[in-house]
DNA sequence: ACAAGGTAGTTGCCTATGCAACCGACAACA
DNA sequence: TGTTGTCGGTTGCATAGGCAACTACCTTGT
């Protein structure tokens, strides 16, 4: 239906619009059901699974910016879904844990995540999902390599 | 190396971080080489290929917000890369075209796009790339379906 | 011809996101 | 023990991106 532009064939473009569509759909669901943003949801997910983590640990595990983690934690604390307790080993940081209310919400959040993943990839075979996962991982590896080589050689005529 | 959290297995999450990594890398390249943002680049790509399009048409082809298209066009015009000429058929809109400078830049932009796509998917077989493309497309289709069904049934206990 | 409704483009506002700078605390070492 | 460098966390700032409202213009129906 859409006229073929070079843009439509460009794989990074397809990746981008697909990711946006999926993220948007999921964000909408979490916002309307729980009033959670995506960063908040991610912190809840990790915290509910592992518990007692510092923000540094959360940053590492969610691959989000430390500021994003900080703000998400702040909101979760204000909403009474998580608490910070002092870290005896390191006075700079604190341990984060879900409150009972947080645990309860986590118990609703994860099934919804599973359900959405199922709905989004409904019709995919197990092989296709594995393939998709490994292709995504491979691309991330390439980005890291790409970052290293950093094409400083040829600047395509632009100084 | 990274401890396994449920988050890391969650496919929409992997999609999101992969897309961010790729987009970020590409955005950086276009910014440093041409001073173009991603929306500006997309408009340049489509315009260079088809020429004489209205913003409405550009919106349709890039799948971007009409405001994003508008702002990109404004910048391109200010930088002398594109011009707007009145549309005799419809007084509300105008036709956009690349200037000679815009055409020249387009001539450098597209090879870089091809080169980056190549570098990012280096090591992928043609089959893998096709597979990737069709998987992405399939997911987008699912998001559309998902949008329709809209899971209004069970609200997971949240009113 | 004119009223009502719709559409392309534009502007303003509000939120999300990221970086850089900063603060208090830890670690290494003279 | 004091000094220097580093690290976790926080805040402020600057930018990107989307939505809603508005203007100007087109279209349809009377």
């Amino acid at each position: 239906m859409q006229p073929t532009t070079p843009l439509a064939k460009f794989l990074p473009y397809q990746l981008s619009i697909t990711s946006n569509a999926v993220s948007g759909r999921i964000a909408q669901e979490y916002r309307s059901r729980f009033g959670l943003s995506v960063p908040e949801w991610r912190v809840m997910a990790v915290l509910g699974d592992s518990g007692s983590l510092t923000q540094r640990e959360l940053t590492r595990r969610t691959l989000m910016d430390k500021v994003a983690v900080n703000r998400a934690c702040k909101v979760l604390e204000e909403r009474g879904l998580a608490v910070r307790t002092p870290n005896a080993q390191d006075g700079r940081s604190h341990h984060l844990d879900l409150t009972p209310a947080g645990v309860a919400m986590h118990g609703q959040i994860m099934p919804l995540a599973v359900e959405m993943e199922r709905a989004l990839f409904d019709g995919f075979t197990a092989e296709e999902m594995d393939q998709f996962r490994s292709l995504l991982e491979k691309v991330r590896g390439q980005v890291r390599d790409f970052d290293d080589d950093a094409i400083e050689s040829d600047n395509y005529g632009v100084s």
Side-chain angles (χ1 to χ4, degrees), chain A:
Chain A
M1 45 186 288
Q2 203 123 219
T4 299
T5 66
L7 189 58
K9 290 277 172 203
F10 193 45
L11 215 33
Y13 167 76
Q14 295 192 349
L15 180 58
S16 172
I17 61 174
T18 305
S19 173
N20 284 348
V22 170
S23 296
R25 194 64 191 75
I26 290 179
Q28 174 187 334
E29 210 68 30
Y30 281 121
R31 172 157 306 283
S32 66
R33 290 178 192 276
F34 304 105
L36 291 176
S37 70
V38 170
E40 285 152 22
W41 177 82
R42 288 182 178 172
V43 168
M44 289 275 301
V46 172
L47 221 45
D49 191 60
S50 306
S52 271
L53 300 174
T54 63
Q55 288 188 17
R56 160 164 175 67
E57 233 349 81
L58 285 166
T59 301
R60 205 175 67 77
R61 299 200 195 192
T62 58
L63 296 190
M64 297 192 299
D65 192 277
K66 65 178 180 175
V67 179
V69 170
N70 179 344
R71 293 202 261 246
C73 290
K74 202 170 162 187
V75 171
L76 293 181
E77 190 181 31
E78 284 163 1
R79 287 186 54 183
L81 297 167
V83 283
R84 304 182 205 226
T85 56
N87 182 350
Q89 274 73 48
D90 189 334
R92 292 170 297 181
S93 65
H94 25 256
H95 291 297
L96 279 128
D97 286 278
L98 294 185
T99 62
V103 171
M105 185 176 283
H106 181 261
Q108 301 180 333
I109 278 174
M110 297 317 285
L112 177 58
V114 171
E115 164 60 18
M116 287 204 296
E117 188 176 46
R118 197 205 53 72
L120 283 168
F121 294 93
D122 190 37
F124 282 60
T125 65
E127 289 75 28
E128 281 178 322
M129 287 190 62
D130 284 346
Q131 214 151 39
F132 193 55
R133 220 184 296 274
S134 76
L135 286 171
L136 286 174
E137 195 169 343
K138 195 167 174 184
V139 173
R140 284 201 298 280
Q142 294 285 62
V143 173
R144 276 188 290 275
D145 295 351
F146 196 176
D147 274 332
D148 300 339
D149 322 336
I151 313 194
E152 280 133 12
S153 42
D154 182 351
N155 72 358
Y156 289 82
V158 175
S159 53

